[in-house]
Amino acid sequence: MGVGEQTAEPTRDEVDGAAGAAAEPRVETTASGTRYPVAPGYRVNVRTGPGTSYRIVRTMPYGQKIPIYCQKPGETVTGPYGTSNLWDNIANGQFVADAYVYTGRDGYVAPRCD
């Protein structure tokens, strides 16, 4: 990770101390599939590949829940859910760092991407 990249990957607004006491995020399973919450208070960058050197295609809004179609190892990133080299594929050619997504466990929760 480059200098300052950790703070450049997600953006976080100033939050009152009370926000830290929020309930644990929940994974949702619906008829259309499982959706995982992005860390509360973070707007996470969506990139074209599994690393911070890949181009940003968009930034997810606060409170976003995302599908994970497959996962791929890439650049190691530290976020609110630990340090991981896993990147989650959320759409065709779009990846987010797994360290910013609450999956309820370490490691793979979806198949490996080809």
Side-chain angles (χ1 to χ4, degrees), residues 3-80:
V3 175
E5 185 61 41
Q6 183 176 356
T7 56
E9 184 59 26
T11 56
R12 182 171 172 93
D13 289 345
E14 291 297 319
V15 179
D16 293 336
E24 187 169 299
R26 291 187 184 184
V27 174
E28 288 181 5
T29 302
T30 65
S32 62
T34 304
R35 297 181 73 78
Y36 301 89
V38 172
Y42 288 87
R43 296 186 64 214
V44 179
N45 291 327
V46 178
R47 296 181 176 272
T48 59
T52 58
S53 62
Y54 288 87
R55 183 175 58 84
I56 296 170
V57 293
R58 63 186 169 112
T59 301
M60 289 189 290
Y62 295 113
Q64 187 75 32
K65 291 193 176 175
I66 59 171
I68 299 176
Y69 297 111
C70 63
Q71 293 174 292
K72 186 173 195 167
E75 180 181 348
T76 299
V77 173
T78 299

